[in-house]
Amino acid sequence: MFSLEIPGLAQRKDDIPALVEYFSSLHKKPLSFTVEGMEYLKGYSWPGNIRELRNLIDRLSILTDTPVIDKPTLARFLSYTTSRKASS
């Protein structure tokens, strides 16, 4: 038996755009993210890892009126209390 270490999403920030695109493509209303919105996602700590990201995309797809997701929209859905500050 051996142990396999898989880094969390917080250590794999470069994977976030591809994961966002994939999870978004699973919905009838695909989402697109502004540059600031994507940076906001990369600045989040992701304590729930990929599951939290997928749940966020699911909620955004259902609850937002626009397919373009920006930083203010994300701020309403993500709590930055446990995260480091996103770049302004």
Side-chain angles (χ1 to χ4, degrees), residues 25-66:
S25 74
L26 300 175
H27 295 278
K28 290 180 183 176
K29 180 178 90 173
L31 304 173
S32 63
F33 289 74
T34 64
V35 172
E36 294 81 14
M38 192 58 69
E39 289 303 313
Y40 193 79
L41 291 176
K42 288 181 177 182
Y44 186 68
S45 67
W46 299 108
N49 284 308
I50 292 175
R51 184 179 316 137
E52 184 179 9
L53 177 60
R54 182 170 185 171
N55 289 338
L56 171 68
I57 301 302
D58 291 346
R59 287 193 322 270
L60 288 168
S61 181
I62 294 166
L63 299 174
T64 58
D65 296 329
T66 178

